[in-house]
Amino acid sequence: MDNSTLCYIEKDGSYLMMHRVKKQNDLNHDKWIGIGGHFEQGESPYDCVRREAFEETGVTLINPRYRGIVTFVTDDTYTEQMHLFTCTEYAGDLTLDCNEGDLEWVRKSEIKNLPIWEGIRYSLSFWIGESRSFR
């Protein structure tokens, strides 16, 4: 089973989203997702989300909030547990230049209009408080 993290960094009523358009053979191609990636050997979910956020954005997360796990089962041979976080504080200079996709601040009310995974759509609906309008 694979383990990964995904973080939605929040600022001024928006989340930092990545439009996955830059990598070849990307399972997430053309989806909008948060910041994150796969665990490295010996990492905890908190270690992983902090490392991935720094690698993808140049910022250090301060007090990321653990929100839960979404389990993706694609077939009999692959299962992924994605540890979800939100974060409202970070240190450092944010860069929007990422080799995996285009980073953009997206108003929370507009996320439901983007192509995102259903499991993430369901989770975000509770964090944002718009559960009826996200589904």
Side-chain angles (χ1 to χ4, degrees):
M1 178 174 357
D2 244 351
N3 281 289
S4 64
T5 59
L6 193 64
C7 184
Y8 289 88
I9 301 172
E10 181 179 355
K11 181 178 105 177
D12 300 328
S14 297
Y15 281 133
L16 184 61
M17 303 287 289
M18 181 187 299
H19 188 199
R20 296 289 294 248
V21 293
K22 293 184 179 180
K23 288 175 71 176
Q24 295 287 330
N25 302 316
D26 186 356
L27 177 66
N28 293 301
H29 182 73
D30 208 31
K31 297 283 189 197
W32 287 78
I33 63 173
I35 305 306
H38 294 275
F39 284 33
E40 289 184 355
Q41 183 64 35
E43 280 187 322
S44 71
Y46 285 93
D47 294 335
C48 180
V49 75
R50 285 185 175 111
R51 177 185 52 77
E52 287 285 348
F54 185 78
E55 289 176 2
E56 294 177 359
T57 68
V59 300
T60 300
L61 300 180
I62 300 171
N63 298 319
R65 183 175 176 194
Y66 190 80
R67 295 295 195 147
I69 297 174
V70 172
T71 302
F72 293 99
V73 180
T74 58
D75 57 34
D76 292 338
T77 61
Y78 182 77
T79 302
E80 180 179 343
Q81 288 194 326
M82 182 176 287
H83 300 260
L84 302 176
F85 292 84
T86 57
C87 192
T88 57
E89 299 176 68
Y90 58 86
D93 295 323
L94 178 72
T95 178
L96 297 179
D97 183 30
C98 179
N99 65 353
E100 296 184 21
D102 296 327
L103 294 170
E104 185 177 322
W105 291 103
V106 178
R107 303 279 315 156
K108 291 179 184 181
S109 61
E110 296 301 315
I111 293 172
K112 64 186 170 220
N113 300 322
L114 301 174
I116 61 177
W117 293 107
E118 284 303 309
I120 300 303
R121 181 180 308 279
Y122 183 75
S123 299
L124 282 171
S125 69
F126 288 102
W127 306 337
I128 295 173
E130 298 180 2
S131 58
R132 287 190 181 96
S133 64
F134 254 71
R135 295 187 201 156

